[in-house]
């Protein structure tokens, strides 16, 4: 029969989201550059582009969810979705590798400068040291260590939720909003997601407090620039991961996941574990090793 589907692949229909997303990203990037150079209208162009990117993301992923419910995500398609997520996380690893590379370069080959009251200067008798002489650093064993425990705990809660989704059984019929939970989901899925989201929000709140009380400003030295770029981008990824988990929580309440088909949840769990691992490296390299021997703020 002409047009009959005799394969396990999903042939996508024409979609406007790639071109809309591309122009939105172009507008966001151009507006951001204009905004930083204080050009007229740069801020508005950036916000319009950002709105377009967010709208594209919402609509595009809504299409993917509808395709899953329509049965288009066959085992072959799900496998390829997993390959795509693995490659995406690999690209994120390379992204953070650049910041670690910069931090290692500054640490192992420091420039002989002195730091005093937010001003970096090169002195004739200055000795190369890292962090710069006179700079106070954040105590790694206060808020950074607490945030490490928070992320490690969040890794266990998302794993709990994942195992509850795969192996869970419904503990009796539920009424009200609990009745919306799909087959294979049980209370552990929702409780695990709720706990992971709350821990992610707690991590972000503590990091915001840490930034507000940090003893150094961005751009005042190689140390401060490398510190804020590495930890700041990680904080951005925590925020993205938290939104990812919130979307999955809503989908779990709507019964979108089953033990055999839950790629969206699995992708969020992978992403969150990636965020956990990156933080462990940041804590050891940036906070502990990178500030070793320097005076700590308030210490």
């Amino acid at each position: 029969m002409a047009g009959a589907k005799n394969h396990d692949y999903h042939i996508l229909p024409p979609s406007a989201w790639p071109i809309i997303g591309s122009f939105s990203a172009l507008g966001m990037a151009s507006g951001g550059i204009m905004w930083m150079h204080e050009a007229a209208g740069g801020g508005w162009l950036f916000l319009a582009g950002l709105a377009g990117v967010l709208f594209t993301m919402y609509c595009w992923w809504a299409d993917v969810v509808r395709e899953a419910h329509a049965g288009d995500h066959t085992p072959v398609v799900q496998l390829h979705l997993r390959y795509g997520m693995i490659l995406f996380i690999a690209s994120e690893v390379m992204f953070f590798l650049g910041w670690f590379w910069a931090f290692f370069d500054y640490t192992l080959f420091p420039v002989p400068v002195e730091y005093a009251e937010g001003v970096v200067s090169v002195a004739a008798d200055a000795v190369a040291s890292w962090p710069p002489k006179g700079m106070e650093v954040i105590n790694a064993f206060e808020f950074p260590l607490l945030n490490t425990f928070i992320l490690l705990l969040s890794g266990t809660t998302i794993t709990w939720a994942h195992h509850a989704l795969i192996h869970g059984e419904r503990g009796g019929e539920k009424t009200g909003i609990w009745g919306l939970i799909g087959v294979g989901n049980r209370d552990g899925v929702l409780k695990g997601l709720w706990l992971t989201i709350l821990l992610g929000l707690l991590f972000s709140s503590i990091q915001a407090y840490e930034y507000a009380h940090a003893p150094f400003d961005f751009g005042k030295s190689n140390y401060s620039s490398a510190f804020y770029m590495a930890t700041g981008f990680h904080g951005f990824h925590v925020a993205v991961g938290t939104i990812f988990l919130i979307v999955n929580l809503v989908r779990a309440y709507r019964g979108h996941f089953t033990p055999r088909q839950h790629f969206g949840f699995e992708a969020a769990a992978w992403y969150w574990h990636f965020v956990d691992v990156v933080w462990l490296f940041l804590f050891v390299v940036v906070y502990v090793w990178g500030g070793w021997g320097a005076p700590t703020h308030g210490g």
Side-chain angles (χ1 to χ4, degrees), residues 15-282:
S15 174
W17 302 126
I19 188 68
I20 293 175
S22 297
F23 279 107
S24 297
L26 175 63
M28 184 176 69
S30 302
I33 295 171
M34 293 170 61
W35 194 1
M36 286 184 283
H37 287 275
E38 299 181 353
W44 290 109
L45 179 59
F46 171 81
L47 293 176
L50 176 62
V53 169
L54 295 176
F55 179 72
T56 300
M57 292 171 63
Y58 174 83
C59 294
W60 202 339
W61 284 112
D63 288 347
V64 174
V65 171
R66 281 192 291 269
E67 291 163 4
H69 293 323
D72 294 325
H73 289 182
T74 63
V76 171
V77 174
Q78 291 186 50
L79 178 64
H80 292 170
L81 289 172
R82 286 176 171 83
Y83 286 159
M85 190 64 191
I86 290 171
L87 290 174
F88 170 70
I89 292 177
S91 71
E92 293 282 73
V93 170
M94 295 298 104
F95 175 82
F96 277 101
L97 182 62
W99 300 119
F100 280 110
W101 190 301
F103 197 85
F104 278 120
D105 181 64
Y106 292 146
T107 306
L108 298 174
F109 306 101
V111 178
V113 298
E114 290 185 351
Y115 183 93
E117 298 181 358
V119 177
V120 177
S121 60
V122 179
D125 58 346
V127 179
S129 63
W130 185 266
K133 184 180 179 181
M135 170 176 277
E136 291 185 342
V137 300
I138 296 173
N139 190 338
F141 299 102
E142 291 182 351
F143 282 126
L145 181 61
L146 175 60
N147 264 348
T148 301
F149 289 140
I150 289 172
L151 276 190
L152 288 175
L153 179 58
S154 72
T156 64
T157 55
I158 191 63
T159 301
W160 170 34
H162 195 188
H163 278 266
L165 175 56
I166 296 173
H167 304 293
E169 297 176 359
R170 299 186 68 176
E173 291 299 322
K174 307 291 185 181
T175 58
I177 195 168
W178 295 97
L180 297 176
I181 306 173
V183 175
N185 289 270
R186 62 177 182 179
D187 292 356
V189 180
L190 300 178
K191 291 176 181 177
L193 278 171
W194 270 112
L195 287 172
T196 308
I197 291 168
L198 292 175
L199 289 169
L201 293 173
L202 179 60
F203 176 93
S204 298
S205 300
I206 291 175
Q207 189 173 44
Y209 179 86
E210 177 186 278
Y211 278 8
H213 295 82
F216 45 81
D217 297 324
F218 177 78
K220 295 300 183 180
S221 69
N222 286 344
Y223 178 88
S224 62
S225 297
F227 173 88
Y228 281 116
M229 292 302 289
T231 61
F233 269 115
H234 176 268
F236 170 75
H237 282 72
V238 171
V240 171
T242 303
I243 296 172
F244 204 170
L245 293 171
I246 292 173
V247 171
N248 276 275
L249 179 63
V250 173
R251 295 189 63 195
Y253 273 116
R254 293 182 177 181
H256 286 188
F257 302 126
T258 68
R260 294 179 60 85
Q261 185 166 323
H262 54 270
F263 168 73
F265 184 98
E266 199 169 32
W270 289 356
Y271 188 85
W272 195 255
H273 287 308
F274 158 74
V275 168
D276 288 352
V277 173
V278 170
W279 175 258
L280 291 177
F281 280 98
L282 285 173

